[in-house]
């Protein structure tokens, strides 16, 4: 089997612009959540989010092009730039048709939709709709722009599977390399939905934390006092390469992507299947795909949204997959610091798994102060933990009952 390794990373997150500042903030237990500044959130039941801060698209994109892109594309272009530079990869004519771009986004250009709907209604009707409206809006223009910038002429694929989108994108990108379709895949996700409609929709579903007076403690996965997730935004992109191709060009290797599992709950529009039945099958499939046993997994980066049912059923699913060993298996949710990046969450958390493997350190679940008797695993509470990691599992679950799980391995010759 052709092996798939990670050779480059880039990130724009609520914790920083770049992989290093984001990872440093995670290991420091820093929260990226605060009052919403993008718009006046007065009147919404939730007025907090994990917004990207200190980001200037002009650092990565020509000023003229910036105006023709939605913010989710800005984030993706910046993360791709950092990932390609980190990988030290250039795409020549021979490599171009062997390079794919696989990206995930849950909602695409939501702020663009809001902007031009307002222009149509209030500012002059159809003549106020930009010719760039559709290319700014649709989710596949993030990988489209990335492919154009770097000359990647292989498959260009977008997954829109809600909060599992970028995890699915990475898994499918891994398959493209394994199956000989590609030698390189630029893969990840991007999201920019901290907008009035995005916030209002999740508020109406009563899915968000309304701990508005204490934003840094609002996202508290697995804690008894959790009351909903916190919206996040940003992008994470990883460069995947076939091992022999990476070796020949002398690429550095962070980790190996060795397993992928996907499933459907076929149960409910928003609620996970009781007991995490669908999650169980996806985790088991990823472990089997890697050709290992559950006993080999050293760490689980949980979906861990800080919602009552997700955290309970994910805990139950982990117990089903790992049996008695689940009690001693470290599990953490980095959403406690980043918020929930929706379609970009899986790629970001896959990045965290790869860095945990590289550095031998487990990121914490912060804000874990009141244990829930029904969520009774080792959630690496509040501070990081030094521990060697050979295999790390990353869970991503989305509305519609879609599940995606990735398995990462320490690279060994």
């Amino acid at each position: 089997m052709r092996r798939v390794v990670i050779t480059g990373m880039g990130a724009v997150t609520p914790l920083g612009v770049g992989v290093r500042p984001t990872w440093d903030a995670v290991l420091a237990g820093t929260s990226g959540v605060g009052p919403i500044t993008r718009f006046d959130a007065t009147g919404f039941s939730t007025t907090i989010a994990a917004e990207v801060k200190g980001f200037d698209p002009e650092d990565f994109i020509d000023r003229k092009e910036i105006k023709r892109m939605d913010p989710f594309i800005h984030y993706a272009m910046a993360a791709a730039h950092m990932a390609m530079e980190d990988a030290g990869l250039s795409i020549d004519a021979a490599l171009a048709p062997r390079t794919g771009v696989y990206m995930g986004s849950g909602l695409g250009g939501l702020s663009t939709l809001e902007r031009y709907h307002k222009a149509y209604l209030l500012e002059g009707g159809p003549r106020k709709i930009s010719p760039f409206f559709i290319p700014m809006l649709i989710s596949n223009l993030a990988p489209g722009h990335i492919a154009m910038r770097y000359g990647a002429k292989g498959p260009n694929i977008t997954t829109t599977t809600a909060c599992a989108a970028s995890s699915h994108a990475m898994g499918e990108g891994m398959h493209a390399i394994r199956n000989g379709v590609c030698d390189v895949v630029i893969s990840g996700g991007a999201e920019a939905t901290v907008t009035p409609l995005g916030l209002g929709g999740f508020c109406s579903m009563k899915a968000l934390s309304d701990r508005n007076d204490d934003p840094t403690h609002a996202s508290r996965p697995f804690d008894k006092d959790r009351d909903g997730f916190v919206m996040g935004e940003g992008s994470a992109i990883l460069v995947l390469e076939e091992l022999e191709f990476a070796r020949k060009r002398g690429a550095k290797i962070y980790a190996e992507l060795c397993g992928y599992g996907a499933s459907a709950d076929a149960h409910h529009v928003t609620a996970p299947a009781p007991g995490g039945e669908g999650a169980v099958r996806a985790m088991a499939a990823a472990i089997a795909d890697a050709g290992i046993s559950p006993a080999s997994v050293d760490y689980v980066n949980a979906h861990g949204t800080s919602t009552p049912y997700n955290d309970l059923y994910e805990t139950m699913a982990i117990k089903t997959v790992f049996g008695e060993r689940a009690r001693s298996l470290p599990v953490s949710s980095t959403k406690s610091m980043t918020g929930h990046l929706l379609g970009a969450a899986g790629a970001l958390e896959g990045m965290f798994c790869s860095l945990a493997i590289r550095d031998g350190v487990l990121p914490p679940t912060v804000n874990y102060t009141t244990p829930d008797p029904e969520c009774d695993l080792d959630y690496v509470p509040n501070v990081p933990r030094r521990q060697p990691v050979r295999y790390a599992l990353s869970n991503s679950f989305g509305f519609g009952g879609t599940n995606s799980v990735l398995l990462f391995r320490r690279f060994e010759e």
Side-chain angles (χ1 to χ4, degrees):
M1 184 184 294
R2 285 161 55 95
R3 295 167 65 186
V4 181
V5 294
I6 298 162
T7 60
M9 298 181 183
V12 177
T13 79
L15 297 177
V17 178
V19 174
R20 185 76 261 170
T22 296
W23 184 233
D24 286 347
V26 164
L27 296 185
T30 303
S31 171
V33 182
I36 289 172
T37 64
R38 295 273 187 278
F39 56 92
D40 183 1
T42 302
F44 291 88
S45 58
T46 292
T47 60
I48 59 174
E51 296 176 321
V52 167
K53 308 161 194 72
F55 173 73
D56 184 350
E58 289 190 24
D59 292 340
F60 305 96
I61 309 166
D62 181 81
R63 183 179 298 179
K64 183 179 178 181
E65 292 300 312
I66 288 171
K67 298 177 181 178
R68 300 174 179 178
M69 298 175 181
D70 185 87
F72 89 100
I73 302 176
H74 296 161
Y75 297 153
M77 293 292 283
H81 172 84
M82 289 182 271
M84 291 294 282
E85 281 205 336
D86 185 40
L89 180 65
S90 59
I91 300 172
D92 59 20
L95 181 58
R98 304 281 301 166
T99 302
V101 187
Y102 284 66
M103 290 283 291
S105 184
L107 287 167
L110 190 57
S111 63
T112 293
L113 179 63
E114 294 179 25
R115 172 184 170 190
Y116 285 107
H117 185 242
K118 178 181 178 182
Y120 168 74
L121 291 177
L122 303 177
E123 299 172 14
R127 65 187 181 86
K128 287 296 183 179
I129 299 174
S130 167
F132 298 105
F133 168 60
I134 297 298
M136 293 169 71
L137 169 70
I138 54 180
S139 56
N140 74 296
L141 259 292
H145 277 290
I146 291 168
M148 286 184 280
R149 170 169 287 189
Y150 298 104
K153 296 184 177 182
N156 193 279
I157 306 292
T158 302
T159 54
T160 54
T161 49
C163 304
S166 57
S167 177
H168 277 132
M170 288 181 62
E172 296 301 325
M174 179 190 77
H175 277 178
I177 295 175
R178 274 188 179 176
N179 294 337
V181 175
C182 297
D183 292 323
V184 174
V185 169
I186 304 165
S187 187
E191 205 77 88
T193 56
V194 182
T195 72
L197 277 181
L199 179 67
F202 284 120
C203 284
S204 294
M205 295 173 66
K206 302 190 183 304
L208 300 179
S209 171
D210 60 5
R211 199 182 290 260
N212 299 317
D213 57 347
D214 190 15
T216 61
H217 297 100
S219 183
R220 42 197 322 110
F222 306 106
D223 187 87
K224 185 178 180 181
D225 297 326
R226 65 192 184 276
D227 68 334
F229 77 87
V230 176
M231 291 183 72
E233 62 177 358
S235 177
I237 291 181
L238 296 85
V239 177
L240 311 179
E241 299 187 36
E242 190 275 325
L243 175 58
E244 292 307 317
F245 176 85
R247 275 184 174 138
K248 286 178 182 176
R249 71 178 195 87
K252 71 174 181 298
I253 294 173
Y254 285 98
E256 183 173 352
L257 179 53
C258 62
Y260 168 48
S263 70
D265 289 351
H267 169 68
H268 191 271
V269 173
T270 58
E277 181 272 338
V280 168
R281 289 185 287 109
M283 283 189 277
I287 291 167
D289 188 41
I292 64 170
S293 73
S296 297
V297 176
D298 301 303
Y299 166 66
V300 176
N301 186 289
H303 188 55
T305 56
S306 188
T307 57
Y309 281 118
N310 175 89
D311 294 4
L312 171 61
Y313 289 162
E314 186 170 14
T315 295
M316 295 170 71
I318 290 169
K319 289 178 180 178
T320 299
V321 172
F322 294 98
E324 285 300 315
R325 185 167 173 270
R327 302 287 181 182
S328 59
L329 177 64
V331 176
S332 69
S333 173
T334 44
K335 289 184 179 73
S336 58
M337 295 165 281
T338 66
H340 191 348
L341 270 66
L342 306 179
L348 180 60
E349 290 154 17
M351 185 183 85
F352 291 153
C353 284
S354 301
L355 294 170
I357 289 170
R358 183 195 69 177
D359 295 346
V361 61
L362 306 180
T365 304
V366 303
N367 302 326
Y368 185 79
T369 58
T370 307
D372 183 340
E374 294 187 297
C375 295
D376 54 355
L377 302 179
D378 174 8
Y379 300 115
V380 193
N382 301 310
V383 293
R385 182 183 303 166
R386 288 284 170 187
Q387 178 176 314
V389 180
R390 189 180 182 205
Y391 287 96
L393 196 74
S394 180
N395 289 339
S396 297
F397 313 135
F399 284 173
T402 183
N403 307 301
S404 178
V405 177
L406 300 173
L407 186 62
F408 300 84
R409 173 167 54 204
R410 184 171 65 237
F411 174 65
E412 297 169 348
E413 296 289 349

